[in-house]
Amino acid sequence: NAGVMQNPRHLVRRRGQEARLRCSPMKGHSHVYWYRQLPEEGLKFMVYLQKENIIDESGMPKERFSAEFPKEGPSILRIQQVVRGDSAAYFCASSTRRTSGRSANTGELFFGEGSRLTVL
Amino acid sequence: ELKVEQNPLFLSMQEGKNYTIYCNYSTTSDRLYWYRQDPGKSLESLFVLLSNGAVKQEGRLMASLDTKARLSTLHITAAVHDLSATYFCAVIPGGGADGLTFGKGTHLIIQP
């Protein structure tokens, strides 16, 4: 059973270009989370999606960032007109259940190996 | 806003020694996670602590949770070099929010 698959693993973009990061969740997982990790920092929650729906995007910057999780295919995190401050590792995680304070389940998250974006 | 603080942030220790990493969080939560991350790699789930007084052990690592004190500890017994990594604790905010709030991580180096 393959784990959470992210690609590309490394991406280099010049300022103003677009970055697209893909995430295929584990088989049977329909809940996807995106996190950003800056150097020497912990991960910061960005967005939570279920198939075809954005459930919680409270951690997503209001401009230039968008995410989707279509009925078919991987989840995509899209960053338009990248700036140097977008350089970071972007991790995707998947789960069989919602990971929130409402849920009585553990909601354990399984993380991909991350996509490391460098903006020149 | 939920804040999660770990200490120490950096720790260098010798093999065979014992040490504890602390994780404090600022608002009510009854669920806490510990993860390990090796350089350039993903996060590996170590423990999920679900209730006050929960204690879990795996090999040389033991984690505990005190929800009243809003404190979790990760104790390392007789450290070995293979445990060198960055360790993160993460908490689910209350109020039904989604996603985990992570601490900044503890960079642990264990020297032979």
Side-chain angles (χ1 to χ4, degrees), chain A:
Chain A
N1 185 11
V4 179
M5 304 299 291
Q6 289 189 248
N7 71 83
R9 293 290 311 280
H10 300 274
L11 182 63
V12 179
R13 285 286 180 266
R14 297 191 180 280
R15 280 180 297 171
Q17 292 184 319
E18 179 179 288
R20 283 195 181 212
L21 310 176
R22 295 173 198 79
C23 168
S24 296
M26 285 180 70
K27 189 175 181 181
H29 289 196
S30 59
H31 302 254
V32 167
Y33 298 76
W34 285 94
Y35 288 81
R36 176 164 64 176
Q37 184 180 31
L38 295 171
E40 306 301 324
E41 295 281 331
L43 279 70
K44 293 204 185 309
F45 167 74
M46 298 181 74
V47 62
Y48 161 50
L49 311 101
Q50 294 179 23
K51 283 284 186 182
E52 299 185 275
N53 288 301
I54 297 173
I55 308 300
D56 182 349
E57 56 183 348
S58 59
M60 191 94 99
K62 294 288 185 278
E63 297 178 351
R64 301 187 299 106
F65 285 72
S66 62
E68 62 178 13
F69 189 14
K71 187 176 180 181
E72 301 290 339
S75 176
I76 295 174
L77 180 68
R78 182 183 177 202
I79 311 171
Q80 294 178 291
Q81 299 177 315
V82 296
V83 300
R84 288 216 174 103
D86 297 333
S87 295
Y90 293 83
F91 287 92
C92 170
S94 73
S95 174
T96 55
R97 294 168 176 153
R98 186 173 190 168
T99 303
S100 78
R102 290 195 195 97
S103 173
N105 303 304
T106 65
E108 188 172 2
L109 295 180
F110 295 85
F111 283 84
E113 295 207 320
S115 292
R116 282 155 182 82
L117 172 66
T118 301
V119 179
L120 301 178

